Every structure is written in structure tokens, then in C-alpha cells.
Amino acid sequence: MYVSVTGDIGFNEDGSEAYGAHVFSGLVGMFVLKPQGSGWEVESANPAMNAGSSGKALKDWKLIQVAPDKWGFINIHSDSHWVHSGSAFVLLTPDKSNIRRSWVEAKYEHSNGGSGSAGGCSNPDASTCTLLKAKLGVDKKTIINGFYPLEITLNGFEDDKVYKIKSILLSISPD
């Protein structure tokens, strides 16, 4: 059984409570339970990981298969700071008795012109813009280190370089 839990109160890495400033993260936990007699036993767990912003946890985690016999949770974290905006896939996977949290960039946007805020980079010919978007898939035909690799497909532009459907395979490493 795979269980995810979230909390809207952010915590610092040392466990002390933090309040809702933009820089504070939300809280997510993941547990993998296996049947034991008439109940359940914890196989893997990490009850306190950071994901989210402004002290708010990410909602709507999606369960995905990450290996023939393993599942994990995935979500997207997004944030903006003046001329920088971005998002990342957040992947939670079992790793022996622990849970591994991995971040894979999903979108990055940077604009040096105009409005002074992110979101002003819609012209691929502009030499001062970066807009990169990635789609994430799972390659269930291949197994690397006991896991299915992640397939990242990149589109967008960075200054004068254009990326059109460039695929990259990433492996989930158990260590």
C-alpha cells in the first residue's frame, strides 16, 4: 500500500516550524506498507520532506509505476521570482527503507526585457529570453538499476538556440 500525506505548515530542515513566507516550503510524506499478519508493516517511509512554496504543500499527488514492482508519487512544483519563473517534477520513490525525493526541471522561463516580471518571454526570436519546457514519461520497456528510466522531452529556446523535441533518458538510482 502506498500512502502520501501533506501539510500546509512549512518546516525548516532541522524540524523547527516556519511560517508562510514565500521561501518556506510545504510538507509531504510517503509511506510504503506491506501486509504483515492481520495488519500492515512499514517497508519504506519518509514522513517529512519539503515540497511546495509559501508554507503550502503540493496537492493532488499522482501515483505512477516506477519499476515492475514499485510505485511512486509525482507532482509539479512551480514558483516565480521577478524575471525568473519555473516548475519542476517532484518524484517520490521507495529506496530500501527510506523514500527518495527527486526534482527534475519541467519549465524554466527568464526574460531580460520589458515588464520586469516572468512571463514576458513569448518571442522565440528574442535574444534575451529563455523558455524551456519538458514533458516527463516513464519508459516501461527498459529497466536500469531496477527502475524504469524517465524520459524527458525538451522543447523551447534559450537565447538563439532552439530545442525541438529533444529526448533525454534519466535513470532513477537506488543510491
Side-chain angles (χ1 to χ4, degrees):
M1 179 185 323
Y2 292 80
V3 178
S4 69
V5 294
T6 61
D8 283 342
I9 299 174
F11 291 86
N12 297 315
E13 290 292 329
D14 66 2
S16 61
E17 189 172 347
Y19 297 95
H22 189 153
V23 298
F24 293 130
S25 184
L27 184 65
V28 62
M30 180 177 164
F31 302 86
V32 179
L33 307 174
K34 64 181 178 182
Q36 178 66 33
S38 62
W40 295 91
E41 178 181 48
V42 175
E43 184 174 87
S44 304
N46 189 337
M49 296 175 277
N50 293 325
S53 63
S54 299
K56 302 291 183 190
L58 297 176
K59 308 293 184 212
D60 303 320
W61 288 86
K62 180 181 173 187
L63 187 65
I64 64 168
Q65 190 171 9
V66 295
D69 61 344
K70 290 183 178 84
W71 293 73
F73 287 98
I74 192 165
N75 210 327
I76 293 184
H77 168 91
S78 299
D79 205 359
S80 293
H81 298 272
W82 195 53
V83 297
H84 301 277
S85 176
S87 58
F89 297 104
V90 183
L91 181 64
L92 308 178
T93 54
D95 181 10
K96 298 177 184 144
S97 63
N98 197 10
I99 302 294
R100 177 180 297 258
R101 182 190 63 173
S102 303
W103 292 69
V104 178
E105 200 69 26
K107 179 180 177 185
Y108 176 73
E109 184 172 358
H110 171 77
S111 173
N112 285 334
S115 66
S117 65
C121 190
S122 59
N123 179 4
D125 295 324
S127 62
T128 59
C129 292
T130 299
L131 177 57
L132 300 171
K133 295 179 186 179
K135 290 184 181 179
L136 183 128
V138 178
D139 177 1
K140 292 185 179 178
K141 298 176 293 226
T142 308
I143 298 174
I144 300 173
N145 296 325
F147 288 88
Y148 296 132
L150 303 175
E151 184 173 12
I152 307 298
T153 305
L154 180 66
N155 286 287
F157 52 90
E158 181 176 20
D159 298 325
D160 59 353
K161 186 171 184 175
V162 176
Y163 298 90
K164 292 186 180 178
I165 310 178
K166 180 175 173 93
S167 291
I168 303 165
L169 283 181
L170 300 174
S171 64
I172 300 171
S173 174
D175 293 317

